[in-house]
Amino acid sequence: AMTLTVPPRASLSSVADSTFAKIDQDIAWVMGTFQQVLTEQGEKAIADHLPWTGKAGKSNGTVELGERGIQMLSIAFQLLNMVEENAANQSRRARESHDGLLAEAGMWGRHLAELRQSGVSGEALVGILPHIRVEPVLTAHPTESKRSSVLEQHRMLYLLLVKRENRMWTPAEQEDIRDELAAGLERLWRTGEIRLSKPDIASERRGAIHYLKEIFPDVLGRLDNRLRQAWSAAGYNPELIRDPAHLPRLRFGTWVGGDRDGHPLVTAQVTNESLRELRKAGIQVVRSALRKLAVSLSLSDRIQRPPASLTTAIQRLLHLLGDAGTKAVSRNPFEPWRQYVNLLIARLPEDGSTEVHPPLYRRPSELVDDLRQLRLSLAEVGAVRLADHEVAPVERTVASFGFHLATLDIRQNSAVHEKALAQLLTTAGIDAAEWPTWSEKDKLALLDAELRSPRPLAHPESVHGAEAKLVLDCFRTIAQHRTGCGIDGLGALIVSMTRSLSDLLTVYVLAREAGLVHRVDGPGDVGPGLACDLPVVPLFETIDDLDRSPGILDAFLAHPVTRRSLNLHNSARPVQQVMLGYSDSCKDGGIFASAWNLQRAQGRLAEAGRKHGVELRFFHGRGGTVSRGAGPTHRFLEALPHGSLGGDLRLTEQGETIAQKYANPVTATHNLELLVAGTTATTVRHQGPAPDYADTHGILDRLAEASKSAYENLLTLDGFITYFSEATPIDVLEQASIGSRPSRRTGRRTLADLRAIPWVFSWNQSRHYLPGWYGIGSGLATIKRDDPAAFALLRERVRTWPFLRYALTNIESNIASVSPDLMAGYAALVSDQAVRENIFGKIRAEFELAKTLLEEVFGGASIATRRPLLVRTLQLRESGLHAIHHQQIALLTKWRQLKNDGDVDGANLLLPDLLLSVNAIASGLRTTG
């Protein structure tokens, strides 16, 4: 009989109390130091308004703080964010020390304990773990409002907070730490907060590579240690996961330099530079790991005789490498294990090399095999601990980062592909000027005919239109990289706004022109024909597209080119990637309609995959806010529809969330553990019987439709665009230098053309948070009025159904972040009184309705009772936020008046202050778009 029990978590109130006691203590220390620095800089007047020092809480925003005052508040919020991050990490460590590894929800220990308690054996788990594949994808979506130099200084200040945790410091040493903090704060104060020019793609790429090269390799080892410790704590046999091949796979991806959807600056040259820089950094990571390994394996052959397997391997490498091999082994005589590692280093490609010839490694899997040989040779002489602690982590590093660091996806809009193909067909003498208006049947007939032949449509030197040149130049760059370096660093060809099968088959035809599609021997029932070297991935974004997505995927998976391509990529276990867009579906139909349609689509897409014997790798395009798919990682995974997760998961990490989640190793380890452990546990549970919530599906259909109707009715009201334009700082955000990509897809000034990021960003800045909750009140009211029994069932299901709880909890979080009085302050900026009163009246009424009915759905208890940490966190920030918001409202009024008066110079002089207020509010809210 199994006696394992999962320790209970401490009560919510005690967790909140201990966390906030820690925050209060640290914020007093940090803000006291900052106040001293400001005073020394001659800024006593604004120092007196510094929040959380006992004085500034009285400020209600009526005091004119000016540019330096806004900067002070912005830095103060950044410091608070660091204090909260450190307090969360220290609280988790304290709970783990007190309650053990099994107590913390979402982590390896808790998941493994629950799996073991439910009867899952270690042997069964080891059969699953190697099939877990998790891939965070770093994107440069423009929601990171901080300069890279400022982010680096934040990292340094955070390390001082961590350093101070060590109780061994003497009072004098503690004072030294405070002096370091003061110096860092003075540097931050003198640096300046805002970007004066938009970042270029090269700087965005450097930012992504920083995390991939400097943070994640170290975190990978921590993650594996956490798994092994939790595995033993849960009572599983540690020998089962000794081999690195038995551990989950963690990979990384990026869009920086590959995402060209509405981004004219991402050219073929930029993509080539990104591939080269990623490869250069990837090889550097591997070279560094091998050099450290060589230093640690100084075992002498005079003390232990090397096994024959090692001697044979050394001779094999010496024969392969010739003079380079002789030089490598001459450095460490009598130390055969070190000599072997030197030979591995000698086989590495040059940093950033774009063409590799034998005997150098072409693929990282070859190096992994050689490292495994090294590990086994150490075990043969009894040095098992060295094999586990020194060699296995390097194996994992190479398996995760390879020679490419991260795979680079190529994303382009289906409309661009459509224009490119029309131009290409015209060049080939086919009348396709009206191609976009052709019926789907006629398009498929032509595409199928083309995909039966390997010949290109046009000569490589042919002159095409702009879109054809753009796409083909990109694909040819990818083909050149594949020829020189292999496909390991190449991700997927992602088709944004996928609306039909022809959108996907078009990519095969275009890829054929660049040599990415060629003839292969297909699986038996399909036979030989064309296949694509890289996966073609649909991205379903709008609610209508999500509704059509299962049919599109079904037809795509049935197509012979797709079947051959999947077989080419992995004949043993065909995997089709499908990307889901959260932002546009929310902007399209509101938050709950988005969440429910995504949920239903995933279930139906998974069924389409099973029909064709194909596993789906869902790629979740989640942003940094609830309106764009964000939410607690472990709750997000728990909420996935049953059977949709087979262990293979990708998801985007965008904008400011990258720094928030990964800037510091302890926080990065925690967030990646939530992701990998949660994916593993959810995958195991999805293999069991499905819970039955079918009796609630029809209710949620009605709730989604009613909430969507309310949301759409607001957006189509007369004057809504006027309200949005004047009651939010959207006009400022469109001038902010927070990303290399334009805020509009085509430059047209319409709501449809506006990207979801500035849409959400502007509503958050004005404290409406409208995309994250609007419509749910009307939806719930409709259910309650028309079907009280259904409303009662919702109240029951929100306690037992993870999806419903996750969706409504996220919406409630956004509602808790709304400030009705600040909403009114921004609404007062709308010059047309009738528009203002009508639109704001509806927003305020919907807010009150949503707040009341959500509380009723959650059982009648207030959010302060149920979620004390959230409420107290928001309350802590509110006094400082009010001051900045009032400053921003005053600045907006003055700036817009100057523009209306034609005073361009005056408006331009005021713009930096406005941009600084945007940064300050984003820091205070811990979110942009």
Side-chain angles (χ1 to χ4, degrees):
M2 192 169 293
T3 58
L4 178 73
T5 57
V6 178
R9 288 195 68 185
S11 69
L12 283 175
S13 59
S14 66
V15 170
D17 289 343
S18 62
T19 301
F20 272 88
K22 170 70 174 165
I23 290 172
D24 289 344
Q25 181 185 62
D26 287 356
I27 202 69
W29 180 70
V30 170
M31 293 303 168
T33 306
F34 187 28
Q35 197 167 48
Q36 175 191 331
V37 168
L38 290 172
T39 301
E40 290 171 351
Q41 301 302 310
E43 301 284 3
K44 187 175 187 309
I46 59 173
D48 286 342
H49 293 282
L50 185 65
W52 312 295
T53 57
K55 295 180 181 179
K58 300 173 184 176
S59 175
N60 61 6
T62 58
V63 178
E64 182 67 45
L65 296 177
E67 177 187 354
R68 302 299 268 173
I70 297 173
Q71 181 182 341
M72 175 269 290
L73 290 171
S74 179
I75 293 175
F77 275 117
Q78 292 157 17
L79 295 173
L80 174 60
N81 294 339
M82 294 176 216
V83 165
E84 288 179 334
E85 179 181 347
N86 182 55
N89 285 330
Q90 299 305 327
S91 294
R92 280 192 296 269
R93 293 166 67 90
R95 287 196 297 274
E96 193 171 291
S97 297
H98 184 268
D99 299 326
L101 281 167
L102 310 186
E104 192 72 19
M107 309 300 278
W108 271 122
R110 173 66 74 90
H111 282 307
L112 291 173
E114 290 175 345
L115 289 172
R116 186 158 187 257
Q117 201 157 30
S118 66
V120 180
S121 69
E123 289 75 13
L125 269 178
V126 167
I128 293 169
L129 283 176
H131 298 293
I132 301 299
R133 182 188 183 280
V134 178
E135 186 175 349
V137 180
L138 307 187
T139 79
H141 281 53
T143 63
E144 174 53 81
S145 58
K146 302 177 189 69
R147 300 166 57 192
S148 57
S149 58
V150 169
L151 288 171
E152 181 57 37
Q153 290 177 51
H154 287 180
R155 282 188 277 268
M156 294 168 62
L157 292 171
Y158 179 83
L159 289 176
L160 290 174
L161 279 172
V162 176
K163 184 178 180 180
R164 186 169 174 262
E165 297 297 330
N166 195 322
R167 298 307 175 197
M168 74 176 192
W169 304 120
T170 67
E173 289 169 332
Q174 287 275 10
E175 191 59 32
D176 286 342
I177 295 174
R178 190 175 187 277
D179 287 344
E180 287 184 72
L181 178 68
L185 288 170
E186 181 177 340
R187 183 166 47 249
L188 187 60
W189 178 253
R190 292 177 179 272
T191 297
E193 284 290 290
I194 60 171
R195 292 188 177 108
L196 299 178
S197 59
K198 290 178 77 68
D200 58 16
I201 297 171
S203 66
E204 291 175 336
R205 181 170 56 231
R206 284 193 298 272
I209 287 176
H210 166 81
Y211 294 96
L212 293 164
K213 183 181 178 184
E214 306 298 336
I215 302 291
F216 294 137
D218 178 53
V219 167
L220 181 63
R222 296 172 184 237
L223 280 171
D224 287 348
N225 288 339
R226 296 273 304 171
L227 169 55
R228 288 192 169 98
Q229 291 163 354
W231 182 272
S232 296
Y236 288 121
N237 180 1
E239 290 299 317
L240 291 173
I241 58 169
R242 166 161 275 167
D243 191 325
H246 293 166
L247 300 177
R249 292 176 291 164
L250 182 63
R251 302 289 188 269
F252 295 93
T254 182
W255 280 11
V256 184
D259 180 15
R260 56 224 326 115
D261 179 12
H263 197 329
L265 300 179
V266 181
T267 62
Q269 180 182 346
V270 165
T271 297
N272 185 49
E273 289 168 355
S274 291
L275 288 168
R276 289 175 66 103
E277 288 299 314
L278 287 165
R279 182 169 172 82
K280 178 180 177 181
I283 295 173
Q284 287 173 347
V285 166
V286 172
R287 192 184 306 279
S288 175
L290 288 174
R291 284 174 174 166
K292 290 177 183 176
L293 179 62
V295 171
S296 68
L297 294 184
S298 55
L299 288 75
S300 170
D301 61 6
R302 297 181 177 184
I303 297 176
Q304 54 266 301
R305 181 184 298 277
S309 62
L310 181 66
T311 304
T312 301
I314 289 174
Q315 292 304 315
R316 172 180 62 85
L317 291 171
L318 273 171
H319 177 74
L320 274 175
L321 291 165
D323 291 344
T326 303
K327 183 179 179 181
V329 299
S330 67
R331 287 195 295 271
N332 302 104
F334 315 116
E335 296 176 350
W337 283 273
R338 183 179 280 183
Q339 289 177 326
Y340 182 81
V341 178
N342 289 340
L343 289 166
L344 303 189
I345 295 171
R347 278 196 78 186
L348 285 179
E350 291 297 317
D351 297 355
S353 58
T354 57
E355 197 168 337
V356 181
H357 301 287
L360 301 184
Y361 292 116
R362 178 168 173 81
R363 302 201 66 176
S365 57
E366 299 168 326
L367 175 55
V368 171
D369 290 341
D370 284 349
L371 284 166
R372 185 173 186 275
Q373 175 69 53
L374 172 64
R375 178 167 50 81
L376 294 176
S377 74
L378 285 168
E380 280 189 69
V381 298
V384 175
R385 183 175 284 107
L386 293 180
D388 291 346
H389 287 266
E390 305 293 348
V391 183
V394 181
E395 271 187 76
R396 290 283 283 166
T397 296
V398 178
S400 289
F401 299 97
F403 302 149
H404 56 274
L405 200 63
T407 57
L408 181 69
D409 286 336
I410 304 299
R411 183 175 74 141
Q412 183 56 278
N413 196 288
S414 60
V416 174
H417 289 148
E418 193 173 54
K419 291 178 182 177
L421 182 61
Q423 293 162 3
L424 196 61
L425 290 169
T426 300
T427 302
I430 300 171
D431 183 9
E434 303 300 321
W435 173 260
T437 65
W438 284 26
S439 71
E440 179 71 358
K441 179 181 177 181
D442 289 343
K443 285 182 178 180
L444 290 176
L446 186 147
L447 292 167
D448 282 331
E450 284 297 323
L451 291 173
R452 285 192 287 270
S453 168
R455 58 132 181 88
L457 277 167
H459 189 275
E461 301 300 322
S462 299
V463 178
H464 310 297
E467 284 78 11
K469 184 178 187 315
L470 179 77
V471 172
L472 294 183
D473 283 352
C474 171
F475 283 4
R476 285 168 182 151
T477 294
I478 297 167
Q480 289 169 3
H481 187 87
R482 173 212 57 193
T483 301
C485 305
I487 63 170
D488 293 295
L490 298 172
L493 305 176
I494 299 174
V495 186
S496 61
M497 291 296 172
T498 297
R499 289 174 170 163
S500 63
L501 174 61
S502 63
D503 287 339
L504 301 174
L505 300 187
T506 292
V507 180
Y508 285 147
V509 174
L510 294 170
R512 184 189 63 180
E513 299 298 302
L516 290 171
V517 169
H518 50 89
R519 188 175 177 83
V520 300
D521 293 327
D525 58 336
V526 176
L530 297 186
C532 188
D533 285 333
L534 299 181
V536 172
V537 174
L539 166 50
F540 301 112
E541 300 184 75
T542 69
I543 287 177
D544 286 344
D545 294 340
L546 286 168
D547 187 52
R548 290 193 297 266
S549 64
I552 296 171
L553 182 68
D554 180 42
F556 185 56
L557 292 177
H559 199 278
V561 177
T562 303
R563 297 189 63 189
R564 291 189 207 99
S565 300
L566 293 175
N567 187 67
L568 179 68
H569 303 152
N570 191 340
S571 59
R573 194 165 175 254
V575 177
Q576 172 63 47
Q577 188 178 158
V578 175
M579 188 170 182
L580 302 170
Y582 287 69
S583 305
D584 283 283
S585 57
C586 179
K587 179 169 175 276
D588 186 38
I591 185 67
F592 190 80
S594 169
W596 180 233
N597 278 277
L598 282 160
Q599 186 81 356
R600 294 298 296 269
Q602 285 175 77
R604 293 165 60 207
L605 287 164
E607 287 175 11
R610 285 191 288 271
K611 171 184 172 182
H612 293 276
V614 173
E615 180 183 308
L616 294 194
R617 174 184 299 151
F618 281 112
F619 182 9
H620 297 271
R622 303 170 76 214
T625 63
V626 168
S627 309
R628 300 185 51 247
T633 298
H634 60 302
R635 301 301 182 200
F636 161 72
L637 293 168
E638 289 172 359
L640 293 175
H642 193 88
S644 67
L645 183 56
D648 205 333
L649 180 76
R650 296 185 96 209
L651 74 170
T652 51
E653 299 286 13
Q654 300 182 10
E656 80 279 358
T657 63
I658 297 174
Q660 289 173 6
K661 294 170 73 171
Y662 302 120
N664 303 303
V666 173
T667 308
T669 303
H670 172 71
N671 283 302
L672 287 175
E673 182 176 345
L674 285 172
L675 188 55
V676 180
T679 298
T680 303
T682 304
T683 297
V684 175
R685 294 183 181 112
H686 280 200
Q687 293 178 355
D692 185 9
Y693 301 114
D695 59 353
T696 322
H697 288 186
I699 302 171
L700 296 197
D701 287 340
R702 285 182 279 154
L703 178 58
E705 186 56 40
S707 65
K708 179 172 179 280
S709 178
Y711 178 83
E712 291 174 338
N713 286 343
L714 177 71
L715 268 59
T716 54
L717 281 176
D718 287 343
F720 176 78
I721 297 300
T722 298
Y723 184 91
F724 170 61
S725 300
E726 297 183 17
T728 78
I730 181 61
D731 46 353
V732 177
L733 298 183
E734 291 187 311
Q735 299 194 46
S737 300
I738 59 170
S740 63
R741 195 175 70 167
S743 61
R744 295 180 183 271
R745 283 190 167 88
T746 67
R748 295 192 301 271
R749 299 201 62 78
T750 64
L751 191 57
D753 194 56
L754 183 71
R755 292 187 182 276
I757 290 168
W759 167 252
V760 174
F761 196 168
S762 55
W763 286 116
N764 289 359
Q765 283 273 311
S766 62
R767 296 301 293 274
H768 287 64
Y769 276 78
L770 186 136
W773 60 269
Y774 196 93
I776 191 64
S778 293
L780 289 171
T782 299
I783 301 297
K784 184 178 180 181
R785 181 191 66 230
D786 296 346
D787 192 346
F791 190 80
L793 186 58
L794 282 181
R795 296 182 62 181
E796 179 183 333
R797 284 284 181 257
V798 81
R799 296 194 301 271
T800 58
W801 187 4
F803 163 73
L804 187 59
R805 182 172 62 249
Y806 176 74
L808 295 186
T809 298
N810 280 345
I811 293 171
E812 185 186 51
S813 296
N814 264 355
I815 287 176
S817 299
V818 171
S819 172
D821 62 327
L822 287 172
M823 251 199 321
Y826 282 93
L829 294 169
V830 179
S831 54
D832 188 316
Q833 181 180 351
V835 167
R836 179 175 67 246
E837 291 178 354
N838 183 31
I839 305 295
F840 180 64
K842 291 188 179 300
I843 292 173
R844 184 63 190 262
E846 181 71 16
F847 170 75
E848 296 297 343
L849 185 63
K851 188 176 177 182
T852 300
L853 289 180
L854 273 176
E855 189 170 291
E856 192 172 334
V857 166
F858 281 111
S862 70
I863 186 173
T865 301
R866 290 179 289 105
R867 305 176 67 186
L869 274 172
L870 172 68
V871 172
R872 289 174 67 173
T873 297
L874 294 172
Q875 288 174 345
L876 181 63
R877 296 163 176 272
E878 213 46 57
S879 63
L881 276 169
H882 267 69
I884 308 174
H885 281 296
H886 285 293
Q887 297 289 314
Q888 186 181 77
I889 290 169
L891 288 167
L892 273 171
T893 302
K894 187 175 180 181
W895 181 65
R896 288 170 178 170
Q897 186 60 54
L898 289 169
K899 290 204 302 177
N900 290 338
D901 293 343
D903 188 351
V904 176
D905 292 339
N908 288 339
L909 284 173
L910 202 58
L911 184 59
D913 287 5
L914 265 170
L915 295 175
L916 188 56
S917 74
V918 168
N919 267 26
I921 292 171
S923 296
L925 298 175
R926 290 212 78 179
T927 185
T928 54

